[in-house]
Amino acid sequence: MTILLALTGWDTRPWIERLSRHVPGYDIVTLDEPHDIQGIKYICAWKPPQGVLSQYANLKILFSLGAGVDHLLSDPDLPNAPLVRVVSGNLTMRMTEYVVQHVLMHHRQHRMLNDMQTRKAWREVEQPSADQVRVGIMGLGELGTDAAITLKKIGFRVSGWSRGAKEIEGVETYCGHDTLPAFLSGVDILVCLLPHTPETDGILGIKLFRLLAQDGPLPDAFPAVINAGRGKLQVEPDIIEALNKGVLKGATLDVFETEPLPETSPLWNHPRVT
């Protein structure tokens, strides 16, 4: 029996070592070495070249080596086999740590304080408590739900928006495209954890940013956006325009339309972008 590793951008050696240890008796091969295409029943994939998996007609299971599966579902020639994604407590915890870190960064105005330190200048700044700040999460899957629960425990006023109906204790939830304006109107810090689909492509644009609340407790810090989902969700010229015009006061971007981010991108040096 043979398992195929179809990886782009990752070192295959650690995966070969792990799979050999946990599933002894299987041969582990990669896309760039000779193998029997007809004999491949299992594929572990991360961003394989589009169309390359279509030749594996005897595939039984396709494993995505991450929580997201949009990198596979965007392939029109994907084999007709069950698709399994990773649900890991460790992965969920890491994403929640990231989201909480950057919500607190915007809430506690760290970029402004760092700037004052650099200039060796000090002035007292207003600091509202967490229960005065509204955090909205777009995407209430495994990752979004855990982040929402944790932010609620810290004391933030948390709401969430998703395609289908979700219920989370203590969190006001919205579902469906028609409810998006109502959701956004009550958000000071927007966290995006959506998957990339045809419906969400470019959703983080100037039209959406204009719907965010403009009456938050920190006019110089809110509204802010945190994109920890996928780069294709955001329209980067719109983010820069929104920041320059004051529609947005800050942005944390973990992903980009082109990765790695080109050296020529103005996002590198924008004073309100992390």
Side-chain angles (χ1 to χ4, degrees), residues 18-40:
R18 291 172 189 141
L19 287 169
S20 298
R21 177 157 33 94
H22 288 290
V23 284
Y26 285 76
D27 294 324
I28 315 298
V29 298
T30 61
L31 279 174
D32 58 358
E33 62 181 305
H35 57 272
D36 175 17
I37 290 175
Q38 300 304 316
I40 298 295

Side-chain angles (χ1 to χ4, degrees), residues 104 107 127-135 151 154-157:
L104 287 170
H107 169 221
Q127 184 55 62
S129 60
D131 62 3
Q132 294 175 270
V133 178
R134 300 163 294 182
V135 181
L151 289 165
I154 293 173
F156 289 102
R157 295 162 59 186

Side-chain angles (χ1 to χ4, degrees), residues 249-266:
K249 301 305 195 305
T252 293
L253 307 175
D254 186 49
V255 288
F256 303 96
E257 294 180 71
T258 300
E259 296 179 346
L261 185 65
E263 291 183 7
T264 55
S265 172

Side-chain angles (χ1 to χ4, degrees), residues 169-183:
E169 186 176 355
V171 175
E172 185 176 9
T173 56
Y174 300 78
C175 73
H177 183 76
D178 292 344
T179 68
L180 189 55
F183 162 73

